[in-house]
Amino acid sequence: MTIYSLYIFDRHCACVYYQDWHRTVRPKMAVEGGMLPAVYAPVYPQANPDTMYGNRNTFSAPSSGIVVAVNDDVPHTPLPTQTQSPIAPIPPPPTSSLSFDEEAKLVYGVVLSLRNMIRKLSGKDEQFVNYQTSTYKLHLYETTSGYKFVILSDPAADSLRFVLRQIYSGPFLEYVVRNPLVEMNSRERGIDNEYFRMSTDRLVRGLTVFQ
Amino acid sequence: MTIFGLWVINKAGGLVYERSFADGLPHLTSNEYLVLAGTLHGIHAITSRLSPTGSSSGAHVISGETFKMNILLTATGTKFVLLTSLVEPTADSVLQKVYEIYADAVMKNPFHTPEMPIRTEGFDTRIGALLG
């Protein structure tokens, strides 16, 4: 029993927040322009060119800190040598075949199609709750304001709707809705901030299904 | 413990058989069922790609608030979908039996064209005996 990942989508279909826990297949870096900033920093493409630039720039001497020659016409940062931090790049664990933005779009597409399908089949305003495959179970909670909370868990888990509701009524309201620094509905930024990430993390880690 | 309906979807995503049993879900037009079956076919393929841990099958069970869809994907790509109430522990075995009946009454029928709508009386009566 475990919990894999959490996605939050706003009413404009954009992924505004992502967090993962026991996920073995890592999400791949998003393509430029594919995702909003402040969603999930590790896959945001802006962070990438700096390190890539540092690796590609074979003419600069890393120890001296002096750039001898630059093989790129437009430097991405004014001081490329500074980006060669002492922290070595972490060897990549197995990554998904999908880039993060594509994956988020697929999740949203599946959730939306299933929601419409359930609504059509039931003939009333019935909600889609979850679906289950051999390796995971996807749960959906939709708020009145159109935010969709999606969590991926172990297939044996019971309905985790109450958890999604807790994330909404606890951390989300406290650190996103009541946070004047978070621009909701901006279509330009996600809702990621330190407090929200930390308190969601604490909430999920405290669950009995999380082991 | 109610079975609302049964769909058979061919490997191309076309609905080849649809039958409703108990009341509880509204009746839709055959065109609407065709669209839903096509959508389900696509979603089923996507769900297997979203796995956070290695390779996964497509969705087995899709739940709403009052009913669920149980999906059996056979090795040949045909999908059997059973619409039941939320508490239906026998859904998997029922689907296996439906698959058996399909193999006997449809696939062994020399007048049946593969991947085309099922118009076999024997299948209808045996499904009626199992689920009706």
Side-chain angles (χ1 to χ4, degrees), chain A residues 4 30-32 35 46 48 50 70 97 118 148 151-152 164 183 185 190 200 209:
Chain A
Y4 295 120
V31 296
E32 199 133 350
M35 70 185 279
Q46 285 297 308
N48 203 21
D50 292 354
V70 176
S97 60
I118 298 283
K148 289 173 191 66
I151 209 163
L152 268 66
L164 293 171
E183 273 184 76
N185 261 331
T200 308
V209 290

Side-chain angles (χ1 to χ4, degrees), chain A residues 15-199:
Chain A
C15 182
V16 290
Y17 185 78
Y18 172 81
Q19 189 164 7
D20 61 20
W21 291 275
H22 288 142
R23 192 176 160 159
T24 50
V25 182
R26 300 301 312 154
K28 212 161 81 181
M29 190 71 68
V31 296
E32 199 133 350
M35 70 185 279
L36 304 176
V39 172
Y40 182 56
V43 294
Y44 188 64
Q46 285 297 308
N48 203 21
D50 292 354
T51 49
M52 265 175 60
Y53 187 80
N55 291 343
R56 204 173 52 214
N57 188 357
T58 49
F59 293 105
S60 69
S63 55
S64 66
I66 301 161
V67 180
V68 177
V70 176
N71 62 345
D72 206 341
D73 41 1
V74 185
H76 292 266
T77 56
L79 289 169
T81 45
Q82 280 186 345
T83 62
Q84 289 172 341
S85 59
I87 306 157
I90 305 149
T95 50
S96 152
S97 60
L98 295 165
S99 63
F100 177 78
D101 53 322
E102 281 174 14
E103 182 188 278
K105 277 177 202 156
L106 283 183
V107 170
Y108 188 81
V110 164
V111 159
L112 203 77
S113 306
L114 283 175
R115 190 185 71 140
N116 292 341
M117 180 182 281
I118 298 283
R119 199 166 280 181
K120 187 98 195 171
L121 275 171
S122 71
K124 46 188 196 289
D125 215 10
E126 191 173 323
Q127 299 276 314
F128 157 64
V129 178
N130 58 44
Y131 77 76
Q132 181 188 335
T133 76
S134 60
T135 56
Y136 70 99
K137 190 167 181 175
L138 179 145
H139 311 256
L140 170 74
Y141 173 69
E142 191 177 348
T143 69
T144 330
S145 46
Y147 276 85
K148 289 173 191 66
F149 289 69
V150 175
I151 209 163
L152 268 66
S153 77
D154 192 87
D158 286 333
S159 181
L160 291 178
R161 248 187 163 189
F162 74 98
V163 174
L164 293 171
R165 222 198 120 71
Q166 272 176 14
I167 293 173
Y168 171 64
S169 58
F172 188 78
L173 285 187
E174 194 58 41
Y175 298 118
V176 177
V177 177
R178 292 181 186 152
N179 184 344
L181 298 175
V182 172
E183 273 184 76
M184 293 184 80
N185 261 331
S186 69
R187 295 177 185 233
E188 277 154 25
R189 283 185 69 77
I191 56 165
D192 187 18
N193 65 72
E194 210 178 312
Y195 284 101
F196 181 58
R197 194 164 281 274
M198 227 161 64
S199 94

